[in-house]
Amino acid sequence: MNYEQLAKKVVQRAVKKGAKQAEAYLEVGRQSSVRVREGQIEDLTEATSKGLGIRVIVKDRLGFAYTSDFTPAGLERVVDLAVQLAEAAAPNKLNGLPGAKDLGKRGDTGILFDPKVANLPGDWKIQAALEAERAGRAQDARVVTFDSVSAGDFVAEVYLASSEGTSGGYSGTYVYLVAVPVASQNGQLQTGYWLDYKRFLDDLESPESIGREATKRAVRMLGAKPVKTQQVPVVFDPLVAASFVGNLSQAANGNAVYQQSSVLAPHLGKRLAGKHVTLVDDGLLPRGLATAPFDGEGVPTRRTPILDQGVLSGFLYDAFTARKAKARTTGNASRGYSALPGIGTTNLYLEKGTKTPEELIREVPQGLYVTALLGHGADPVSGDMSCGANGLWIENGELTHPVQEVTVAGHLLQMLKDVDAVGSDLQFRGGSVGAPTVRFRQLTVSGA
């Protein structure tokens, strides 16, 4: 079936039915995953999905409906429903699809589809998960069980057509592997995890390496205890630094900024961090998990610096919020077929620095290396952060004993100022948000 043609036909029907503007967004996907435990298959899932969402504008009124019924009658029904809903809605002058000036030329995404992932045999996932579990157990006898080990892949296709003169489609692949071992010693249990998530099979870390690293992360926490309350330098490992980056992006959401419910709202154009801090949202990053030629409403994706060498240089917008805020869309409309677009990130990351993580730690006389943050992270409205943290104590530039039951607290704006070094180890571990190791000059660590 030619899905792009189908999307165009749906748009034509909507216009015939009285829509001034219409847009069809269509997704087709299939995924499979396996979960193993104690050398046995616990769960094996295969699923396919497809659906189409249609957005129409009738006299400044917005209507939206979706369906997974692709029969001619099913598609007619969903178009008619969208138009009816629009006719019954309240008018808003800001309603509208992105126009020609925002729908310009698309950038080059590079290859997003790996035939090796698309044709992965089911037993590859089973073997990979079992191998990760075996390697994790063999690494250290203190591993008593695994919470879970899973592997999976999915193939996704997206098609879009709009009455405003754009249409297109793309397909991409994803493959992942995750291991969560539990280690035990003297009655204390510690969980660790490690994972990898890539578009291309050959880029994926080996199952053996995933299992071993997960075990190392669990075992090194055995014997963890709190430290006394103090203000010290704090180093975030790349996984924790990525969650900090995610917090920053919530504050860079154009809608939050427009509503003045972002700590970053009043600071556009101001220096908030040192020259070594550059935070980018890049929808065209080669091999990126969120790389795509266009966003959820057909606008070409692009590279948008949020912090450019420490200066707050931009916020993220979709078409509706941009219209409201008198800005331009940045190609950050994010959606599935069953929902209207909202602002989301693409490949969001902190650019890497020049020092290795080992050097960052070596320069700390006394401080905390954080390997897990518990809770929601910083509040994007107030900027306050107070989170439970686990990690390792740094003494004279060396990682010494494990630490838990402490709280790390700071404020987003002060934390940005206090980023005094960024590592060279940029990683996109769990998805499309990436970061290297990051060191803060000082944060409050509250413990015993």
Side-chain angles (χ1 to χ4, degrees), residues 47 62 85-87 93 95 100 111 159 194 219 263 273 279 293 317 388 400 410 444:
L62 170 69
L85 289 168
E87 285 166 345
K93 283 267 182 270
N95 281 332
I111 301 167
Y159 301 90
W194 196 238
V219 166
V263 67
L279 173 64
Y317 291 99
T400 56
T444 303

Side-chain angles (χ1 to χ4, degrees), residues 331-372:
N332 282 94
S334 165
R335 68 181 295 187
Y337 75 85
S338 61
L340 285 165
I343 298 169
T345 57
T346 60
N347 304 289
L348 175 78
Y349 63 98
L350 196 60
E351 282 191 355
K352 64 182 185 183
T354 51
K355 288 183 174 174
T356 64
E358 292 75 20
E359 284 176 273
L360 260 60
I361 292 163
R362 206 177 302 135
E363 294 166 351
V364 175
Q366 235 193 2
L368 181 63
Y369 176 68
V370 179
T371 55

Side-chain angles (χ1 to χ4, degrees), residues 413-432:
L413 295 177
Q414 191 59 46
M415 287 170 80
L416 278 173
K417 263 198 199 89
D418 283 347
V419 171
D420 68 357
V422 177
S424 56
D425 54 337
L426 171 61
Q427 299 176 30
F428 289 85
R429 257 307 136 188
S432 60

Side-chain angles (χ1 to χ4, degrees), residues 200-228:
F200 292 83
L201 188 61
D202 293 347
D203 293 346
L204 194 73
E205 196 174 322
S206 74
E208 195 184 350
S209 170
I210 296 268
R212 282 207 300 250
E213 182 61 30
T215 287
K216 279 185 202 157
R217 289 174 75 92
V219 166
R220 72 183 180 184
M221 288 304 296
L222 287 167
K225 53 184 193 290
V227 290
K228 65 180 201 301

Side-chain angles (χ1 to χ4, degrees), residues 240-264:
V240 175
S243 76
F244 174 69
V245 163
N247 271 167
L248 283 169
S249 80
Q250 291 173 320
N253 174 307
N255 199 44
V257 170
Y258 175 75
Q259 292 170 344
Q260 297 293 316
S261 57
S262 156
V263 67
L264 296 179

